[in-house]
Amino acid sequence: MLVERNEQIARLVAFASGESPGAAFGSGRMAVISGPVASGKTALLHRVLEDRAVAGHRLLTAVGSPAEHAIPFGVMEQLLRDARQPAPGPLPPLLVGASVPGNPPSCAEPVATEVLQSFHAELGRTSAQGPVLIALDDVQYADPQSLHVLSYALRRFPATGAGAVSVIVTLGADARRTPPGALEELLHPTRGLHVRVGPLGVAGVERLLVERARGGEPGEDPAGTAPAGLLAGSLHAATGGNPLLVHGLVEDHFSHERPSAHPDDAGAADGSPRAGERFLRSALLIVHRVGADGLRVAQGIALLGSGAPLPLLARLVDVEERVVQQVASALADAGVLDGGRFRHAGVRAAVAESLDDEAVTRLRRRAARLLYEDGAPSMLVAEQLLGHDMSPPDEEWVPQVLVDAAREAMAAQRVGLAVSCLRMAEGRCRSERERAQVRIALTRIIWRVTPSAWPRQVRSLAAAVRAGQLPPVDALRLVGDLLWNGWVDDAVTAMRHVAAAVSQPDAELAAEVLWLRSVLASTFPDVLERVEATLSPLHVGAAKVPVSRADENRLAAAAALHGVLAGGTAGGTAGEGTPEQGVDFADTADRILATLHLTEETEPTVQACLLTLVLADQLGTATQWADRLLAEATARWPASSTAILRAIRAQMALRHGHLEQARRLAEQALEELPPHCWGVGIGAPLSVLIEASTAMGDHEAAAELVGRPVPEGMLGTRYGLQYLYARGRHELETGRPYAALTDFTTCGRLMRRWGMDRSTLAPWRVGVAEAWLALGSRDQVEHFAREQLAADAGPRVRGTALRALAAARPVGERPPLLSEAVALLQADGDWYELARALTDLGQAHKQLGDPVQSKLHTRRAWRIAEGCGARKLRRSLQSEQAPGQAAPKEPERAQPAAAAALTDAERRVASLAAQGYTNREIGAKLFITVSTVEQHLTRVYRKINISHRRDLPVSLDLDVAHIA
């Protein structure tokens, strides 16, 4: 079925029937049907010849063939056999003699006059019986002698009337050779009727789909199993509208067991339509028909991919640039290529598979070498070296190109390609030193791709470290990995090798020295004590070397983390060995985060900045950054690469008293990264899990976590401090105060020894005070609580210290201390500690005989405990209700849509009311009248569909971090 060809058919039928005189060539008439390969030129010619308007003509037909192009007068022989129908006779003697292939005439030689006159006479006898229509398919393959004879005859026959002769030819592309002069003369562009056959449009493809569906089995939907338009656009994009390719895809589509007509469901992963046998066979047929060099050029394009420069492609396939250009243009016109690439991945694969393994290897090696010599990007070279599972050439340039390609691939987030490049480079290195450098690069990537294999990859470099085979920069970069895995001796060996080999570092090495020194001071202080004397001269030299701008943020972030741990604060006095006085480390971290893009290179900088904000008691800012960065990392990185960020975010949730969230985040972090890959860093998520589970009252889960084995060296790191404190909390809550006291004091002793006695890291003094409280030593409680209040302490730690101090004082002195603690904890936003302080305040008022205040504070404590997930505390408050007194009603969570409908003012009022404040107290805090408070609450009740103040949802408490 011909689609979108009605206009061309009408013009050609009118021409053939004599209704449209067209342009004359001499006396006879000429019509040319041209178009890309497989565009339907032959089908159009046959359709014209079958028309009734042409029925009265004598038809002489011939077909050109590449195989017969060199046979003289081959086309004339076909025409004369038709001319002698229905009673064929012998060919003219002159033509028979001329067509003997023993000594064929040259294309440039003129055809003998006797031959010309003989054909003219034969054609004259035929035209005497009626008008003659000569149809010549694929005229570009006709032999030159036949073209000369045909041109001679046309000039001598009339275009109309008795004895009229007309010619219709189809003309395709042939990139193999320059057209002979006889063809150019016959098809001169200023003569005859020219009909150009183009590709089908989307509407034409849709019509083919509909017509094909109508020809299916009875009962089928005429439009297929889904709207044909959904598939038509996809088919057109895959074929460029080439009729042969479209028919192939349509038949493949209907030959399957009723696949969905939607391209995303019916085809490849990229949304292309399914490529079946008929479509691929049609595509390969087109490739072969563009010329003898068509397949070779197509194979080169398949291997090089899109965007390959024309000279490079020509050199690869050893074909002239002119021919390559012609083939590429012909394939584009035929719908196989688009912009230098294959329209359908299946066609590219089929073309590439037409090569045997040996040819593929040869071509890919040649392509890689040519690309390298032309200075192409390393990633393009590597794609050729990696193709077809071949072994790369054993040439000196190969390993470095693969390493460079891995770096480019990582920048483009193509992690799998980077790993493949480095694996191949490792096998082509010419020395152990080179191989070790490649393994270091591979170590960085494996951490993200297959973290379970990462420790083994790091361990494989231990021998190179001990042998001193690594360049100083690479050796120092490996130190952090060795320490993370607990391999301290190897890390120390690496640092000593570097210190012995280098007296004055360059800028790159200086940056690594400064970074490592800060990391040791803030995270591995035990190791720093071992190497301080060895590393100190190198550190002094590095401090004098200007570093690159790219390293400035990284070093500033590491210094900020060390500084805040050492006690430096905004406007505070820095201790000995800490950064200079007056540096605001939190501001530094915030500024750095605002200028960074999250990449593999900036990941350590981001982690250092977030921890700095947490330890500087800037939880609000830290949480905002962490949520933003974690969302970005989750969208772009594998789960293993987000684990550490998630563990840091879990720590923030714990500091806010959001116990369920902290537990969930820490569990996710441990699931994303296998336990053995956490190394000593497992102390971070594990301590959050232990502390959150303990606060929630899930002591069985906390005990299981405490029982898990941890790396031996973890207690010599910052992570060990968090773990000791968390384990102490668990021991204290499960009735083992002496064990808790041991852990808290050990934690404090190490923090003071290491110069990081920062309460935001672990408020060990509060823990010691609470342990002594459980042991009944009120003097010790007061001593450590007051010591904490006198030391560095933000609102959260001051609030917990005041709560411990109140417990050691007579009951009459407790309410003022606890009220101050409540105000501090509410301002800081630690909901769990706020619930504990309110609980103690309610108990104090109860003991002092003030049931109204006791009930008010207990109710607030219960509601906050419910909201933050402190289940044990909530149950204890519920059980303390007087006999016969109803427990606080279980509040229902506000529906998100209803809560979202509240204005900011309504939310502020509702939040304070949910916490137990009276209308007068709310008015005083928000500087509004009591009447305004009542109006806000009335609207809140209506919007969230409650009737009483006690039914205000707990979630409103947690939605407002701080209300003035």
Side-chain angles (χ1 to χ4, degrees):
M1 180 183 69
L2 292 179
V3 175
E4 296 184 346
R5 298 290 185 257
N6 290 340
E7 179 186 352
Q8 292 94 330
I9 292 172
R11 292 175 63 194
L12 288 168
V13 168
F15 169 85
S17 63
E19 297 176 5
S20 172
F25 174 20
S27 298
R29 300 188 310 154
M30 169 72 68
V32 179
I33 305 172
S34 65
V37 175
S39 57
K41 300 182 294 296
T42 299
L44 180 59
L45 175 61
H46 290 169
R47 170 63 181 82
V48 172
L49 298 182
E50 293 168 0
D51 196 277
R52 287 179 296 178
V54 189
H57 288 63
R58 289 294 305 276
L59 297 181
L60 308 183
T61 61
V63 178
S65 168
E68 298 179 2
H69 177 75
I71 300 178
F73 303 105
V75 168
M76 287 299 99
E77 182 178 349
Q78 297 180 56
L79 294 177
L80 287 172
R81 293 191 187 279
D82 275 356
R84 292 175 173 266
Q85 295 294 337
L91 294 177
L94 288 174
L95 187 56
V96 173
S99 63
V100 175
N103 186 23
S106 168
C107 295
E109 293 179 4
V111 178
T113 303
E114 294 84 353
V115 175
L116 296 174
Q117 292 174 346
S118 176
F119 178 78
H120 178 264
E122 192 69 27
L123 190 58
R125 284 190 290 270
T126 303
S127 64
Q129 304 171 26
V132 174
L133 178 60
I134 297 175
L136 176 51
D137 197 12
D138 283 334
V139 69
Q140 72 275 11
Y141 297 130
D143 61 277
Q145 294 79 15
S146 295
L147 295 177
H148 280 298
V149 173
L150 188 57
S151 298
Y152 175 85
L154 278 180
R155 285 194 293 268
R156 287 159 175 77
F157 283 94
T160 58
V165 176
S166 302
V167 179
I168 302 179
V169 301
T170 65
L171 175 65
D174 183 3
R176 296 182 305 170
R177 60 179 67 86
T178 302
L183 181 60
E184 293 184 339
E185 174 66 20
L186 181 67
L187 306 179
H188 194 283
T190 61
R191 298 166 178 162
L193 174 66
H194 190 187
V195 175
R196 176 76 179 177
V197 180
L200 301 179
V202 176
V205 176
E206 182 175 356
R207 183 180 169 192
L208 279 177
L209 279 169
V210 173
E211 293 297 330
R212 176 59 180 81
R214 286 174 178 165
E217 298 179 3
E220 288 185 318
D221 181 352
T225 58
L230 291 177
L231 184 58
S234 180
L235 292 178
H236 187 273
T239 63
N242 181 285
L244 182 64
L245 296 178
V246 171
H247 277 285
L249 270 183
V250 169
E251 291 304 318
D252 288 338
H253 172 73
F254 281 97
S255 67
H256 288 89
E257 295 183 1
R258 307 304 293 164
S260 168
H262 194 283
D264 291 337
D265 299 331
D270 62 355
S272 302
R274 182 182 289 114
E277 181 180 351
R278 181 161 179 169
F279 169 68
L280 294 178
R281 191 167 58 244
S282 299
L284 289 175
L285 176 63
I286 291 174
V287 170
H288 282 283
R289 288 179 59 182
V290 298
D293 298 313
L295 180 60
R296 188 185 304 179
V297 174
Q299 289 168 341
I301 295 172
L303 293 181
L304 286 178
S306 60
L310 188 64
L312 176 66
L313 179 57
R315 289 160 62 198
L316 175 65
V317 298
D318 198 20
V319 174
E320 293 181 26
E321 284 188 36
R322 174 188 60 82
V323 176
V324 170
Q325 178 64 59
Q326 290 174 350
V327 170
S329 298
L331 290 175
D333 292 341
V336 174
L337 299 180
D338 180 28
R341 64 174 181 83
F342 284 90
R343 285 181 176 271
H344 197 291
V347 178
R348 177 181 180 179
V351 170
E353 289 172 4
S354 65
L355 290 161
D356 58 40
D357 290 347
E358 183 179 350
V360 170
T361 299
R362 184 178 64 256
L363 278 175
R364 284 201 178 276
R365 285 182 173 177
R366 179 175 171 81
R369 190 176 297 105
L370 290 173
L371 286 167
Y372 171 72
E373 291 172 354
D374 283 357
S378 298
M379 207 153 60
L380 290 179
V381 182
E383 286 175 349
Q384 296 302 321
L385 294 173
L386 293 168
H388 206 64
D389 297 327
M390 70 177 196
S391 60
D394 187 16
E395 299 184 28
E396 187 175 354
W397 56 270
V398 170
Q400 188 58 51
V401 164
L402 290 167
V403 171
D404 293 342
R407 191 177 300 111
E408 293 176 10
M410 287 302 298
Q413 300 297 316
R414 298 180 62 182
V415 182
L417 175 60
V419 171
S420 299
C421 288
L422 292 175
R423 291 286 190 202
M424 180 174 282
E426 184 180 0
R428 282 292 173 268
C429 290
R430 299 185 172 225
S431 68
E432 286 302 317
R433 186 181 183 89
E434 276 187 22
R435 188 167 290 108
Q437 289 180 266
V438 172
R439 285 176 179 167
I440 285 181
L442 191 56
T443 299
R444 301 283 179 268
I445 302 174
I446 286 180
W447 166 258
R448 296 184 58 188
V449 183
T450 51
S452 58
W454 179 74
R456 184 170 62 252
Q457 180 69 22
V458 175
R459 174 56 81 185
S460 71
L461 290 161
V465 169
R466 290 190 291 270
Q469 293 177 339
L470 298 180
V473 170
D474 290 332
L476 288 189
R477 287 172 180 167
L478 186 63
V479 166
D481 296 338
L482 294 169
L483 292 175
W484 179 270
N485 285 285
W487 300 322
V488 175
D489 290 341
D490 288 330
V492 170
T493 299
M495 287 184 277
R496 287 174 176 165
H497 275 306
V498 173
V502 179
S503 57
Q504 181 59 45
D506 58 15
E508 185 180 19
L509 182 59
E512 296 305 324
V513 170
L514 295 173
W515 166 263
L516 180 59
R517 176 63 172 73
S518 293
V519 169
L520 293 177
S522 61
T523 308
F524 303 99
D526 252 3
V527 178
L528 181 59
E529 291 177 356
R530 289 182 57 179
V531 299
E532 182 69 57
T534 301
L535 205 59
S536 182
L538 193 60
H539 180 257
V540 171
K544 301 175 182 177
V545 178
V547 298
S548 67
R549 294 183 62 86
D551 285 317
E552 286 179 357
N553 280 340
R554 183 167 66 111
L555 297 178
L561 177 58
H562 175 211
V564 77
L565 281 168
T569 58
T573 302
E576 183 179 354
T578 66
E580 60 185 16
Q581 178 179 357
V583 176
D584 190 339
F585 300 112
D587 181 67
T588 298
D590 190 30
R591 175 183 54 78
I592 292 173
L593 289 172
T595 62
L596 285 184
H597 294 289
L598 189 58
T599 64
E600 180 198 11
E601 289 74 20
T602 62
E603 191 175 354
T605 306
V606 166
Q607 294 168 8
C609 288
L610 291 176
L611 287 171
T612 298
L613 291 171
V614 171
L615 295 170
D617 236 357
Q618 301 297 312
L619 281 182
T621 303
T623 301
Q624 290 178 358
W625 277 116
D627 287 342
R628 183 185 308 174
L629 292 166
L630 192 54
E632 183 180 348
T634 302
R636 294 170 45 196
W637 289 357
S640 59
S641 297
T642 63
I644 296 178
L645 274 180
R646 206 175 301 279
I648 296 173
R649 181 63 180 86
Q651 187 176 344
M652 298 175 193
L654 182 64
R655 298 288 178 89
H656 277 301
H658 299 165
L659 304 180
E660 292 179 338
Q661 183 188 28
R663 182 172 176 171
R664 183 181 70 255
L665 287 166
E667 287 174 341
Q668 288 177 342
L670 288 173
E671 289 171 0
E672 289 172 341
L673 199 60
H676 71 282
C677 297
W678 274 99
V680 298
I682 200 170
L686 197 57
S687 62
V688 172
L689 261 182
I690 294 170
E691 197 169 345
S693 298
T694 298
M696 296 173 73
D698 193 351
H699 299 310
E700 184 176 344
E704 187 275 326
L705 293 165
V706 169
R708 292 184 184 182
V710 295
E712 182 180 352
M714 187 189 73
L715 296 182
T717 70
R718 168 168 46 85
Y719 308 111
L721 300 175
Q722 296 170 283
Y723 179 81
L724 284 171
Y725 181 80
R727 189 171 69 181
R729 300 298 320 172
H730 168 67
E731 292 162 342
L732 184 60
E733 291 296 325
T734 53
R736 292 177 290 165
Y738 283 110
L741 187 62
T742 299
D743 276 344
F744 289 142
T745 53
T746 301
C747 179
R749 175 174 52 81
L750 291 174
M751 291 174 71
R752 285 179 293 180
R753 188 181 109 193
W754 293 339
M756 55 176 67
D757 190 5
R758 185 77 172 169
S759 62
T760 48
L761 176 61
W764 64 273
R765 291 179 179 85
V766 176
V768 169
E770 291 185 359
W772 281 119
L773 182 64
L775 293 169
S777 179
R778 295 183 180 272
D779 290 342
Q780 290 287 357
V781 174
E782 186 162 348
H783 168 75
F784 280 98
R786 291 192 181 281
E787 184 176 310
Q788 182 63 80
L789 290 169
D792 85 292
R796 173 178 177 269
V797 176
R798 288 187 63 82
T800 56
L802 284 170
R803 176 177 170 271
L805 178 62
R809 304 301 299 164
V811 66
E813 298 179 16
R814 293 177 189 172
L817 293 171
L818 290 169
S819 294
E820 184 180 354
V822 166
L824 288 168
L825 292 167
Q826 182 172 293
D828 187 71
D830 188 332
W831 301 104
Y832 172 64
E833 291 296 342
L834 176 60
R836 296 179 74 201
L838 284 168
T839 299
D840 288 358
L841 184 56
Q843 287 295 319
H845 281 295
K846 182 178 181 179
Q847 294 177 32
L848 291 172
D850 189 347
V852 175
Q853 286 296 316
S854 175
K855 180 180 177 181
L856 174 65
H857 295 306
T858 299
R859 178 177 178 274
R860 288 184 63 197
W862 188 93
R863 294 172 68 81
I864 293 172
E866 166 69 15
C868 72
R871 300 166 190 164
K872 181 181 178 182
L873 179 59
R874 177 180 62 82
R875 288 193 297 269
S876 69
L877 290 170
Q878 193 166 343
S879 65
E880 288 180 5
Q881 300 299 316
Q885 180 180 351
K889 181 180 177 181
E890 288 278 349
E892 296 182 0
R893 293 280 181 180
Q895 294 297 321
L902 300 180
T903 65
D904 290 342
E906 290 166 354
R907 290 174 69 83
R908 285 192 291 269
V909 170
S911 176
L912 291 173
Q915 295 176 42
Y917 288 97
T918 65
N919 288 359
R920 187 173 299 279
E921 289 172 332
I922 294 172
K925 290 181 73 66
L926 299 180
F927 304 102
I928 57 177
T929 65
V930 174
S931 175
T932 302
V933 173
E934 293 171 348
Q935 293 173 28
H936 282 318
L937 287 175
T938 299
R939 287 192 290 271
V940 169
Y941 295 164
R942 183 178 68 253
K943 289 182 178 180
I944 63 177
N945 195 27
I946 62 173
S947 303
H948 304 285
R949 191 187 195 95
R950 64 175 178 270
D951 297 329
L952 284 168
V954 177
S955 59
L956 290 173
D957 289 351
L958 306 180
D959 288 340
V960 181
H962 170 61
I963 299 175

